[in-house]
Amino acid sequence: MSNSPQQERTEGPSAQPARRGQGFWMIGLILLAVFLMLFFLPGMSSSRIDYSFFLEQLDKENIQRLTVYESNISGSFKIPPEMPITYDYYGKVKKPKEGLDGSREKYKKDFEVFIPSGTEAQSALFAKLNALREKSKQAFVNPDDPESVASASEEPFEYSVVPGGTLSTIMMLIFLSMLIVTIVGLYLFFRRSRDSMMGGGFLNSFTRSTAKRFEPSDQNTTFDDVAGLEGVKADLQEIVEFLKAPEKFQKLGGRVPKGVLLNGPPGTGKTLLARAVAGEAGVSFFSVNGSEFIQMFVGVGASRVRDLFATAKEQSPAIVFIDEIDAVGRQRGAGLGGGHDEREQTLNQILGEMDGFSPTDSVIIMAATNRPDVLDPALLRPGRFDRLITVGRPTLKGREAILKVHVREVPLDNDVDLHIMAEATVGLTGADLRNIVNEAALWAARHDKTRVSMSDFDYARDKVLMGAKREEVMQPSEKEKTAYHEAGHTLAAWFLPGAQRVHKVTVVPRGQSLGSTQILPNEDRMNMSESEIRDQLVVLLAGRAAEKIIYDETSVGAENDLERATNLGRRMVSHWGMSLKLGPVSYKLSDSDPFLGREIHQQRQFSERTQETIDAEVGDTLRAADRRATDMLHVRREELERLKDALMEREELDEKEITELIGPSIHVKSDPAGNRNPVVAN
């Protein structure tokens, strides 16, 4: 469903004042960097030469550019000269580096030289520069050569003078600019540190809880937005009443549960229910994922737990919601490692914090998981997670209500019947139904429709249940074999009382299959009898049996059917006691334990001979189902051919078209008025 965007922010205890002197080292580093940039960086890209060597190069007219300042000169050579041989203070010869060809090391193209102090040296320098400029003009002018006239105005080198005081002004402006930038940067740094750090530590923001906080004004989700799940909402209503008026329960000595664990399949709406509780109660809501507590450094997760619970107590009444709590709450000691890893320390901290709640703390811990079997028993004991609420798949009434919620903003055509859609989506969760509505709207938009019709919902349901159509084109022989295979499944489900209704059969490749038979129950089932299970085994093996009858061989297309049939047969024998030879005994294997470390130490509770008997019984059960499927298809060979021909021609048949071909299904009985209503045959 669509909710208005909610503002989120991360909360933690109020930050303490920064300690005196914090960040002074950064100020020193920035000022040092400014000093190095202003005074050393210019010299790194130029050579410093002697004044006499500069005059020598000036006489040789090897100067390309000059800029004369008050006390120094910067410029560039036309051709970088070789470094001369000089002498040190003790009269020792200082030779420059030499190359392989014996040439001395050269200066860089750019240079810098200091003018000797005194006005006489500066006057002599300017006189020399002006003389060179006049001499250059006279030397290059040739009246007989027209091309030399154009170069008469050219200077032998670029020459500019910066008046005294200009350089210092520029340097001062640069320094002031850098100082202002530094002050602004430090202000922003300290402001960010004050908002993100707690306790004045530099790494404390790393140990801060990452939970997202929703204010009561942000809570737009209520129980009205949660369709179906009436029993679950009734259980959670008590939590809402406690958060609204805790004194009502406390005056009679009652203790409201500290923790509520929502468990159920993915997509059933556990997170939505937690937000609806907060919205109904009008309290703060802290949401965090269990994996956010687990970090590379040991102790970080425990620190985040302390921060989260401390913040929740300050903001009480509040709800703390931990999604996917199995990421941090798995059983301790279940693996091969010790008890000092980060995950177990985080779990220990959670257990300690939940025990630390006082009876007057109006804080409820809610958690969600789809793996309650892996949680630590200490987490589930009374006093911590007292309430275990199962959020199951929605019923027929619930699915219809969920569809009504999701189509609020979808323009529907007149032929849309949400009740029929709910009947055709048995076993789907709320997330699946939302996906179907979205796929139907997208499909209608692709065909430029203004409203979503029932055909769009049928397409979306088929896409979700059977997968999208593939572009592969099957060979006629493969298509025929697939048609026989799917016709075998259809006939077995059509005429066996323990099977379920056939909704649609197709030989169009979808998902990972070349063809599929869509079988949907008439109603929600909570239990199955042995006869119904054996009929379902026949349905699973009927496709392979049809190939065997027609081609006297089988294909790899029955792989998934065999896997499902074998799994069902093994559970019949070892879990449900549906074997005459083994009797009413459960032979559950140790591979059902989710932890490798525990499975290694577990011993099988039966002998190898019993295991051989189990394997033999599973094989006998499946072979008996295969014989039943083969005998049935031999008797109904004419209907098999009829279905195959229709599938080859139309590629897809719905329930009405199948009825026209082979008659009504055993699952459809007529009422006194002559109307056929779908019911499950007993």
Side-chain angles (χ1 to χ4, degrees):
M1 68 200 66
S2 60
N3 292 330
S4 60
Q6 301 183 347
Q7 300 174 352
E8 306 174 356
R9 70 173 186 268
T10 306
E11 291 294 324
S14 58
Q16 299 179 1
R19 292 176 296 182
R20 174 180 275 180
Q22 182 184 27
F24 283 171
W25 58 272
M26 181 170 289
I27 297 177
L29 287 178
I30 293 177
L31 293 178
L32 180 61
V34 172
F35 176 78
L36 292 175
M37 182 179 66
L38 293 177
F39 294 98
F40 289 95
L41 289 180
M44 295 176 61
S45 60
S46 61
S47 301
R48 183 161 295 177
I49 63 176
D50 295 332
Y51 186 70
S52 59
F53 185 77
F54 163 71
L55 294 178
E56 178 184 342
Q57 295 297 316
L58 193 61
D59 292 335
K60 293 181 179 180
E61 298 182 358
N62 192 28
I63 304 300
Q64 181 177 2
R65 177 185 58 82
L66 277 181
T67 302
V68 182
Y69 300 99
E70 185 177 5
S71 60
N72 67 318
I73 301 174
S74 65
S76 60
F77 297 111
K78 293 181 179 178
I79 301 176
E82 292 182 346
M83 293 184 179
I85 298 176
T86 58
Y87 300 88
D88 59 11
Y89 178 78
Y90 301 100
K92 186 177 179 180
V93 176
K94 294 173 60 177
K95 278 188 158 186
K97 297 179 182 179
E98 294 185 358
L100 297 178
D101 56 353
S103 60
R104 293 197 297 269
E105 185 180 2
K106 295 184 178 182
Y107 284 110
K108 297 179 181 179
K109 185 175 180 61
D110 295 328
F111 65 86
E112 185 177 1
V113 60
F114 286 100
I115 303 174
S117 59
T119 57
E120 295 181 359
Q122 295 180 0
S123 300
L125 175 63
F126 290 137
K128 190 175 185 64
L129 292 175
N130 291 328
L132 286 175
R133 180 179 296 176
E134 294 298 329
K135 178 182 176 181
S136 177
K137 289 182 178 180
Q138 295 174 5
F140 282 97
V141 174
N142 186 358
D144 299 331
D145 187 1
E147 296 181 358
S148 67
V149 177
S151 63
S153 61
E154 295 181 1
E155 304 288 347
F157 50 81
E158 299 178 12
Y159 171 37
S160 61
V161 177
V162 179
T166 305
L167 177 62
S168 59
T169 304
I170 294 176
M171 297 290 286
M172 182 60 68
L173 290 176
I174 294 176
F175 178 78
L176 290 176
S177 300
M178 294 301 299
L179 185 61
I180 293 173
V181 172
T182 302
I183 293 174
V184 173
L186 288 175
Y187 170 75
L188 296 177
F189 169 76
F190 284 124
R191 181 179 178 182
R192 183 175 181 182
S193 300
R194 181 189 62 208
D195 294 339
S196 63
M197 293 191 300
M198 55 184 182
F202 180 70
L203 293 178
N204 283 338
S205 59
F206 185 65
T207 61
R208 183 184 178 188
S209 171
T210 57
K212 298 176 181 178
R213 176 182 172 184
F214 298 85
E215 293 288 352
S217 59
D218 300 331
Q219 297 296 330
N220 297 323
T221 305
T222 63
F223 283 155
D224 294 336
D225 300 315
V226 183
L229 305 176
E230 300 300 329
V232 176
K233 289 190 289 187
D235 291 338
L236 294 175
Q237 187 63 41
E238 181 180 343
I239 306 298
V240 175
E241 294 177 1
F242 169 75
L243 291 171
K244 287 183 176 180
E247 64 279 355
K248 173 183 176 182
F249 299 87
Q250 294 170 356
K251 68 181 181 181
L252 297 178
R255 293 176 177 267
V256 172
K258 295 180 181 178
V260 178
L261 179 64
L262 305 174
N263 67 87
T268 51
K270 299 182 290 294
T271 304
L272 183 64
L273 280 169
R275 301 185 69 156
V277 171
E280 288 282 341
V283 298
S284 298
F285 181 74
F286 296 85
S287 177
V288 65
N289 193 285
S291 61
E292 296 181 25
F293 293 115
I294 308 302
Q295 293 294 331
M296 178 177 63
F297 303 105
V298 176
V300 173
S303 178
R304 289 184 173 182
V305 170
R306 289 191 296 268
D307 176 36
L308 173 61
F309 279 75
T311 306
K313 291 177 183 178
E314 292 177 359
Q315 302 295 330
S316 64
I319 291 178
V320 176
F321 177 65
I322 306 176
D323 199 6
E324 305 295 343
I325 194 174
D326 52 277
V328 68
R330 287 175 176 260
Q331 296 182 21
R332 292 167 292 180
L336 299 177
H340 298 285
D341 63 342
E342 165 70 352
R343 182 187 58 79
E344 294 197 2
Q345 288 198 18
T346 306
L347 175 58
N348 293 336
Q349 188 66 43
I350 292 177
L351 299 178
E353 291 291 341
M354 294 189 70
D355 288 338
F357 282 137
S358 65
T360 58
D361 285 332
S362 300
V363 178
I364 301 295
I365 309 300
M366 299 188 68
T369 180
N370 53 12
R371 295 293 307 276
D373 55 315
V374 305
L375 296 180
D376 192 273
L379 196 64
L380 303 178
R381 73 159 176 82
R384 287 172 181 153
F385 281 105
D386 310 83
R387 294 285 181 90
L388 303 180
I389 300 179
T390 300
V391 185
R393 301 179 186 274
T395 61
L396 173 62
K397 183 179 179 181
R399 291 193 300 274
E400 185 174 357
I402 291 173
L403 287 171
K404 289 180 180 179
V405 170
H406 291 316
V407 299
R408 286 175 179 173
E409 300 180 2
V410 178
L412 301 179
D413 207 346
N414 296 329
D415 63 342
V416 175
D417 191 335
L418 296 181
H419 182 75
I420 295 178
M421 280 298 304
E423 289 181 338
T425 52
V426 176
L428 298 188
T429 64
D432 297 327
L433 296 174
R434 181 178 183 178
N435 190 28
I436 288 178
V437 173
N438 184 60
E439 290 289 345
L442 293 177
W443 182 252
R446 287 179 57 184
H447 290 79
D448 299 326
K449 295 183 177 180
T450 58
R451 292 182 174 274
V452 181
S453 63
M454 196 65 181
S455 61
D456 300 320
F457 280 101
D458 291 337
Y459 168 82
R461 181 194 56 218
D462 293 344
K463 183 177 181 180
V464 171
L465 294 179
M466 297 188 295
K469 293 183 179 181
R470 284 154 47 188
E471 298 180 356
E472 293 91 338
V473 178
M474 289 191 296
Q475 299 293 330
S477 58
E478 293 179 340
K479 187 175 181 180
E480 184 184 66
K481 187 172 293 186
T482 303
Y484 274 117
H485 185 102
E486 301 304 330
H489 287 310
T490 303
L491 282 174
W494 200 260
F495 293 110
L496 288 178
Q500 297 170 343
R501 286 180 58 192
V502 176
H503 174 70
K504 184 178 293 186
V505 58
T506 176
V507 292
V508 177
R510 288 177 176 269
Q512 300 297 322
S513 64
L514 297 178
S516 58
T517 302
Q518 190 179 101
I519 298 177
L520 299 175
N522 290 310
E523 58 185 2
D524 300 324
R525 300 295 304 275
M526 306 299 293
N527 196 6
M528 287 190 300
S529 64
E530 181 179 353
S531 61
E532 292 174 338
I533 297 175
R534 294 187 183 276
D535 284 348
Q536 290 188 16
L537 286 177
V538 174
V539 174
L540 289 172
L541 297 176
R544 180 178 180 274
E547 295 182 25
K548 184 71 174 176
I549 291 173
I550 301 300
Y551 301 102
D552 198 24
E553 64 176 359
T554 59
S555 66
V556 298
E559 178 182 1
N560 182 255
D561 298 333
L562 291 175
E563 289 178 0
R564 295 167 59 191
T566 303
N567 181 57
L568 186 58
R570 188 168 295 277
R571 294 178 70 87
M572 289 176 62
V573 174
S574 60
H575 290 196
W576 301 328
M578 297 179 180
S579 169
L580 295 177
K581 186 176 293 187
L582 292 172
V585 183
S586 175
Y587 296 99
K588 215 168 193 178
L589 301 178
S590 61
D591 58 1
S592 60
D593 198 294
F595 299 106
L596 176 62
R598 183 171 298 168
E599 180 185 342
I600 292 176
H601 297 286
Q602 282 185 344
Q603 298 293 329
R604 193 167 56 186
Q605 301 298 319
F606 49 89
S607 64
E608 291 291 339
R609 183 175 180 181
T610 303
Q611 181 63 56
E612 293 178 0
T613 305
I614 292 174
D615 294 338
E617 283 293 288
V618 173
D620 292 342
T621 301
L622 296 181
R623 281 189 287 272
D626 184 60
R627 286 194 297 270
R628 284 185 60 194
T630 303
D631 295 341
M632 178 183 179
L633 294 180
H634 273 301
V635 173
R636 299 187 177 275
R637 177 66 180 270
E638 182 180 350
E639 288 95 333
L640 180 67
E641 296 291 344
R642 208 178 302 162
L643 280 176
K644 184 269 298 182
D645 294 338
L647 286 173
M648 291 290 292
E649 178 182 355
R650 308 178 204 174
E651 293 188 340
E652 191 172 273
L653 300 174
D654 58 18
E655 189 175 1
K656 181 179 179 182
E657 293 171 328
I658 298 173
T659 303
E660 295 174 353
L661 289 171
I662 60 176
S665 170
I666 195 175
H667 306 290
V668 179
K669 293 184 179 180
S670 300
D671 60 12
N675 299 319
R676 288 181 296 142
N677 298 320
V679 295
V680 177
N682 296 323

